[in-house]
Amino acid sequence: MMATTHVFLGLALVAPVAYAVPELAAPLAVGAIIGGLAPDFDLVFIHRRTFHFPLVGGVLTVPMLAVALLVPSALTAFLAAFALTAWVHAVSDAAGGGPEMDPWTNPTDRAVYDHVRGRWVRPRRWIRYDGAPEDAVLAVSLAVVPLIVFDGLLRTLILTLVVVSVIYALLRRRLVEWTPDWLE
């Protein structure tokens, strides 16, 4: 899935809490945005292995959510949103294709690494590849609730990311041709 799809999923997950507790909306949104992007910082290492934790992430997320519920503050809301969204990002990567640049020509059987079992989880390919048409539809759909709940600069950022998502999806298959070999 596209990084923006992960961000929109995180924002959709925290939106009900942000609506109910508006004073925590900003830290929840920032935590969700950074948490949605953070696992993909492993692109320069072993993508979907170095910073993706589909099982361990849940073990870390549950206490963060509990702390945020027991001691609600901007910091605990941010950390809980970050942990939740990073974990959901790692889990949801198994719903898509593998991490390869051109999955339509040579798909792999590696979606995300399971650190507990020490093996790769196979891709389900419900979203065939990042930027696939179904990924764009999912991203735009997930952005609807955050667009309603969040306002101001956050709403502008969400709208900008929707536009980026659609443009990326329209160009996705061509990007492989334009990408230098060393970047793969």
Side-chain angles (χ1 to χ4, degrees):
M1 284 192 268
M2 296 182 288
T4 53
T5 306
H6 293 298
V7 167
F8 297 145
L9 176 56
L11 287 169
L13 289 171
V14 302
V17 179
Y19 181 78
V21 189
E23 60 271 16
L24 295 178
L28 286 167
V30 172
I33 291 166
I34 296 171
L37 296 173
D40 282 340
F41 291 157
D42 68 6
L43 280 167
V44 296
F45 302 107
I46 301 174
H47 185 44
R48 295 191 183 174
R49 180 177 177 162
T50 309
F51 296 143
H52 286 65
F53 300 99
L55 295 179
V56 177
V59 173
L60 299 174
T61 298
V62 171
M64 289 305 310
L65 294 173
V67 169
L69 286 171
L70 295 172
V71 187
S73 70
L75 178 62
T76 59
F78 168 84
L79 292 173
F82 174 88
L84 175 65
T85 306
W87 173 49
V88 170
H89 175 143
V91 171
S92 64
D93 269 344
E100 61 274 0
M101 291 288 288
D102 57 349
W104 48 88
T105 59
N106 190 19
T108 67
D109 284 335
R110 294 178 163 198
V112 65
Y113 193 75
D114 176 352
H115 293 85
V116 173
R117 294 185 182 103
R119 62 182 170 88
W120 287 89
V121 174
R122 70 174 182 78
R124 302 302 188 269
R125 291 190 174 82
W126 298 331
I127 304 287
R128 294 171 293 155
Y129 55 88
D130 72 304
E134 61 272 18
D135 193 8
V137 169
L138 179 61
V140 172
S141 300
L142 288 169
V144 171
V145 170
L147 281 169
I148 294 168
V149 171
F150 298 104
D151 58 8
L153 185 60
L154 285 170
R155 182 175 291 149
T156 302
L157 176 63
I158 295 165
L159 282 170
T160 302
L161 291 176
V162 166
V163 171
V164 167
S165 300
V166 171
I167 291 171
Y168 178 78
L170 289 171
L171 299 175
R172 172 63 173 97
R173 290 181 73 108
R174 291 188 190 113
L175 290 175
V176 174
E177 300 168 15
W178 303 336
T179 304
D181 291 337
W182 62 268
L183 190 57
E184 287 188 39

